[in-house]
Amino acid sequence: DIQMTQSPSLLSASVGDRVTLSCKASQNIYKYLNWYQQKLGEAPKLLIYYTNSLQTGIPSRFSGSGSGTDFTLTISSLQPEDVATYYCYQYNSGPYTFGAGTKLELK
Amino acid sequence: VQLVESGGGLVQPGKSLKLSCSASGFTFSSYGMHWIRQAPGKGLDWVAYISSSSGTVYADAVKGRFTISRDNAKNTLYLQLNSLKSEDTAIYYCARGGIFDYWGQGVMVTVSS
């Protein structure tokens, strides 16, 4: 099975900061990686699919990059509403797997 | 697009439960569907997938105990949970397609004696 490792597990940043979240796959997943945002008490929301495609309605401050085993979610200018937990997910091959998440908080 | 889960509740270890996910606002039969769960205070855990042609894939932790199915005439996705364990306690979400662009609100399953 493919393991997904996210880092850091907790990230504190200030409004306006550029924030980078990492996700590493245990084997090559090409670009079959999505990013989800989950706010407290809510269902997750799709942000980025196929590594770097921005879901409709998601602000352009969110972007994704990478391929193979190393992937990144970047928030260009952190906003207060971005406080949430972020998960990566691979769908290259089953069983499909999520990372453990990065909790993003305001400093 | 709307996905609405139902069928959750409190169940004893070893017992069974069947979850439903009612879909509307899109052509249900054209989409693969997934179940994803989240234990209290924990991360997301992918559970099972069913393709538009009813092929299935399961997580190792539920293989042989859970069964995903669909009824395209009723626009409904199902998850049959058998031989339940305490570690199956979670919110269960259904989600659409390979990218999970739409999610239900989730349904709570509690396995406890």
Side-chain angles (χ1 to χ4, degrees), chain A residues 32-79:
Chain A
Y32 294 105
L33 182 111
N34 299 341
W35 290 94
Y36 301 88
Q37 175 194 66
Q38 187 179 32
K39 297 182 179 180
L40 198 62
E42 297 182 5
K45 178 195 298 184
L46 174 66
L47 297 177
I48 302 283
Y49 61 95
Y50 198 60
T51 294
N52 56 15
S53 295
L54 190 67
Q55 172 67 351
T56 302
I58 300 302
S60 58
R61 64 179 180 274
F62 291 93
S63 64
S65 63
S67 67
T69 60
D70 291 340
F71 300 85
T72 299
L73 174 69
T74 300
I75 307 173
S76 61
S77 179
L78 186 66
Q79 300 302 303

Side-chain angles (χ1 to χ4, degrees), chain B residues 88-107:
Chain B
D88 296 319
T89 294
I91 297 172
Y92 285 74
Y93 297 100
C94 60
R96 186 180 85 160
I99 63 171
F100 307 164
D101 53 351
Y102 288 93
W103 295 63
Q105 83 287 351
V107 63

Side-chain angles (χ1 to χ4, degrees), chain A residues 1 34 36 38 42-44 46 49 55 87 89 91 94-100, chain B residues 34 36 38 42-46 49 57-60 93 98-101 103-104:
Chain A
D1 299 359
N34 299 341
Y36 301 88
Q38 187 179 32
E42 297 182 5
L46 174 66
Y49 61 95
Q55 172 67 351
Y87 297 93
Y89 164 80
Y91 58 109
Y96 310 113
T97 42
F98 285 94
Chain B
H34 296 254
I36 298 130
Q38 187 169 34
K42 303 297 185 183
L44 300 173
D45 184 28
W46 176 82
Y49 164 72
V57 184
Y58 295 93
D60 292 345
Y93 297 100
I99 63 171
F100 307 164
D101 53 351
W103 295 63

Side-chain angles (χ1 to χ4, degrees), chain B residues 24-100:
Chain B
S24 60
F26 66 103
T27 305
F28 177 72
S29 60
S30 297
Y31 285 83
M33 298 291 295
H34 296 254
W35 287 98
I36 298 130
R37 66 185 179 182
Q38 187 169 34
K42 303 297 185 183
L44 300 173
D45 184 28
W46 176 82
V47 174
Y49 164 72
I50 186 166
S51 71
S52 57
S53 56
S54 295
T56 58
V57 184
Y58 295 93
D60 292 345
V62 308
K63 198 176 299 182
R65 298 190 300 122
F66 291 8
T67 302
I68 189 172
S69 62
R70 64 191 301 157
D71 184 336
N72 290 335
K74 294 183 177 180
N75 289 338
T76 302
L77 174 73
Y78 301 102
L79 187 67
Q80 177 70 45
L81 294 69
N82 296 334
S83 303
L84 280 161
K85 306 175 181 180
S86 57
E87 53 263 41
D88 296 319
T89 294
I91 297 172
Y92 285 74
Y93 297 100
C94 60
R96 186 180 85 160
I99 63 171
F100 307 164

